[in-house]
Structure formats: C-alpha cells, structure tokens
Amino acid sequence: MIADQLESLGMKGRDFLGLADYTPDEIRKLIDLGIELKNLNKAGKAYRPLEGKTLGMIFEKSSTRTRVSFEVGMYQLGGHALFLSRNDLQIGRGEIISDTAGVLSRYLDGIMIRTFAHQIILDLAEHSSVPVINALTDYSHPCQALADYMTVLEHKGKLAGLKIAFIGDGNNMAHSLMIGGAKLGLHVAIASPDGYLPDAGVQQDTRAIAAETGGSLLVTEDAREAIADADIVYTDVWASMGFEEEQKIREKAFANYQVNEELAKLAKPDYVFLHCLPAHRGEEVSAGVIDSKHSIIFDEAENRLHAQKAIMAALM
Ligand code: CP
Ligand code: NVA
C-alpha cells in the first residue's frame, strides 16, 4: 500500500503547481494512491494521516467541484479546511501576496489557491513555507488533469499509447492535459481555431516530454483530424472564468468546434468523453454526447476528491 509509505514518495513539503514539476513515475504514484484512497473510502475504512492539520483554500474565482472536493477530502484525511474567498481576505484590499503567504504559512499546513494570473501562484509559492496547491489559474489546472487521467486509467486499464483529443479553447485545461498526457505517454491531439491555440511554450514542453515517454503532440485547427481514432474525447467551455465578456466573439470563433454526434463518429467506437465541468450543452458539447453512454463525467468529477486526497496526503 502506497498509503502506508507516504514518506517514501519523497513529495512531502513540495508544491503542486503543475504536472511539469513531477516525474512520470511520481504522477503515476499519485494516481495509484488516489485509486487506493478511493478503494479505502468505498470500503468504509478511515484513513487520517492529516489529523490536526489545516488547509487554507483561497478562491479568487467561483467553484463547485474544487471547493467541495478539497474540503471533503481534507475532512476525510482527518484535517480541517478553511474557505478563504478573495473578498474576505485583505488581498482584496491590496495586501501583497508575499505578506499574505508569509502570514498564512504561520497558521496553515498547506495552501490551495484558485486565481487568475499564474504569476500569482508562483509568487505565493515562493513566499510560503508550506505546500501550495494549484486549484486552477488562467494557465493550468493540474488537479483536474490528474483526476482525468486517473479516470481514464480506471476505464481503459492503461494510459500510455492512448490517444486523447481535446477540441476547443487552448486554455488552462488543454495545457494541463498536454503536459500530463505527455508525461504519461499518451498521444495528445489539440484542435483549436486560429487565435485560441495552446501556449507556444506549453507546446514546446509537451513535445520535449513526449520525446522521452513515447507520447506525441498534434496541434491543428482541424477538429476532424484531431478526433480521428481518439480513445478519449475532451472539451471545455469556450469562455473560461475571467473571459466572460468575450463570450459572443468566442461563440463565433468556436462554432465549428462543437463536440457533437457527427464529430464523435470519427473517434474510436469505444471512446470515452470527458469534460472538467461546468459544461454548456449546445455550445462546446451537444447534449447527445455529454449525456451518452460514452460520457464518464461523473466518475471524472468524483475522482477530483480521490486524486486531491492523494496530493494532500503526499505533500502535507
Ligand atoms: N472542474 C472544476 O474545477 O470545477 P469547479 O470550477 O466547479 O471547481
Ligand atoms: N477552463 C475553465 C475550467 C473550469 C474548471 C475555466 O478556467 O473557467
């Protein structure tokens, strides 16, 4: 049991800012630990390595899954979670992030943050003496990608060699799936319209990682090319949090990027559909796909709990 040997993971005290900072072996161990913790939980067995510890959860954006899964997860691990919304913290009134980090580190055993610019989490981590966990920035969403690959492993029995097609905005979700997919040896295909392609640096890093693991990366504007023979089909909203005012322009730009029954026909017959949620039926995905037998969105959402418990147990 990995759960009995947390120290041997060598992750104690580390931050979880992105999957790029973790080796393929470490990512796989986190996934396996998540599956173990899920099994313990289903068997009704208590596992409380974080008794007496407290996680601060800073939210500068809305959340359903992340907030609930981290709070419940921390409780199940024997610890306590504090919800800290931007409006209730002094950062909302201009206290600088380094002072916030220094102060919170004196009270808490870990800090989870959902914020806008990725630089904010980098600054927070630099000035915190406790582990900092990325619960979404404009740049990445690694907790979600970890839970996603755990879900795929449960459904497909393997990860390396599978093809994942992400259709839509080359956003935070695309970035984390690219890096995570490459680390785990998947073939990653991204289809986005011109102007919404994934970050060039992330593309470069993904290619470099894939060259080591046997994975690959295809970035195209052609959704049909990306989805061809995919084992996993993934999409996300067209206008992420913080980009709501671009909704109308984005609806035009992404009109040909809806994952619907016609497009999904090009994927493998036994493809699985994932979406980090929240979803907009009739925009990035048709109801016919997201509510079909291919869709594993609720297993995926559930696994946020188990995967994040693995992260917290390993780091804290
Ligand atoms: N997928 C996800 O992070 O959902 P929330 O925004 O509800 O936390
Ligand atoms: N790309 C989305 C993900 C939400 C979980 C956003 O940033 O709003």
Side-chain angles (χ1 to χ4, degrees):
M1 287 264 291
I2 306 173
D4 294 331
Q5 313 154 31
L6 292 177
E7 296 283 343
S8 73
L9 290 173
M11 298 184 204
K12 193 160 181 209
R14 282 169 65 183
D15 298 318
F16 189 79
L17 305 182
L19 293 171
D21 303 335
Y22 284 76
T23 65
D25 183 55
E26 288 173 334
I27 295 172
R28 184 53 202 251
K29 286 212 170 94
L30 285 173
I31 291 177
D32 290 342
L33 177 58
I35 292 172
E36 267 183 33
L37 299 186
K38 182 174 183 174
N39 291 335
L40 284 176
N41 185 255
K42 301 276 178 203
K45 294 205 179 106
Y47 176 68
R48 302 204 175 96
L50 299 186
E51 236 163 74
K53 306 226 182 222
T54 307
L55 176 78
M57 309 189 298
I58 304 175
F59 280 93
E60 298 203 71
K61 293 175 176 174
S62 311
S63 168
T64 297
R65 281 143 289 269
T66 305
R67 185 206 168 158
V68 177
S69 57
F70 265 105
E71 191 162 337
V72 170
M74 195 58 192
Y75 175 76
Q76 290 181 357
L77 291 170
H80 179 70
L82 278 178
F83 176 71
L84 305 166
S85 95
R86 176 191 169 82
N87 299 338
D88 303 325
L89 289 168
Q90 296 288 15
I91 43 175
R93 294 179 56 247
E95 182 165 21
I96 59 174
I97 206 78
S98 52
D99 285 349
T100 305
V103 171
L104 291 181
S105 295
R106 300 292 177 104
Y107 304 132
L108 300 168
D109 303 287
I111 302 172
M112 184 235 81
I113 180 167
R114 164 167 287 192
T115 188
F116 292 88
H118 196 69
Q119 192 59 45
I120 295 172
I121 198 169
L122 298 180
D123 291 345
L124 185 76
E126 187 186 338
H127 297 281
S128 294
S129 57
V130 298
V132 171
I133 300 172
N134 179 354
L136 182 146
T137 67
D138 290 346
Y139 177 73
S140 62
H141 196 4
C143 291
Q144 180 72 53
L146 188 73
D148 295 338
Y149 286 121
M150 171 179 161
T151 312
V152 171
L153 179 64
E154 288 177 327
H155 279 265
K156 294 282 179 197
K158 63 172 189 171
L159 289 167
L162 294 178
K163 177 176 180 183
I164 177 167
F166 179 95
I167 313 294
D169 189 15
N171 62 12
N172 45 9
M173 208 52 256
H175 292 163
S176 290
L177 290 169
M178 287 163 71
I179 298 289
K183 289 261 179 184
L184 295 163
L186 282 88
H187 301 293
V188 182
I190 309 282
S192 313
D194 189 25
Y196 298 94
L197 293 164
D199 177 78
V202 176
Q203 291 190 40
Q204 207 175 0
D205 293 348
T206 303
R207 288 209 166 86
I209 297 163
E212 301 283 312
T213 62
S216 65
L217 175 67
L218 167 76
V219 178
T220 172
E221 290 177 33
D222 183 352
R224 299 172 72 85
E225 182 187 9
I227 206 170
D229 292 320
D231 300 282
I232 306 145
V233 177
Y234 203 116
T235 189
D236 185 13
V237 291
W238 290 339
S240 285
M241 291 181 276
F243 297 86
E244 290 86 352
E245 75 287 358
E246 295 179 17
Q247 175 69 27
K248 285 283 162 244
I249 327 171
R250 283 170 175 259
E251 278 174 21
K252 282 207 188 84
F254 288 98
N256 295 323
Y257 292 81
Q258 185 189 71
V259 177
N260 52 35
E261 292 87 325
E262 197 207 320
L263 188 65
K265 266 190 209 139
L266 302 173
K268 289 229 177 90
D270 63 346
Y271 82 91
V272 288
F273 174 79
L274 287 93
H275 189 310
C276 55
L277 307 179
H280 297 124
R281 287 168 176 75
E283 289 184 33
E284 75 274 8
V285 61
S286 68
V289 167
I290 195 170
D291 299 321
S292 75
K293 64 176 179 12
H294 295 279
S295 176
I296 54 172
I297 54 170
F298 296 114
D299 291 341
E300 179 188 10
E302 176 187 336
N303 282 342
R304 292 292 302 282
L305 171 66
H306 310 299
Q308 288 158 194
K309 280 172 73 179
I311 296 169
M312 291 190 285
L315 271 51
M316 294 172 64

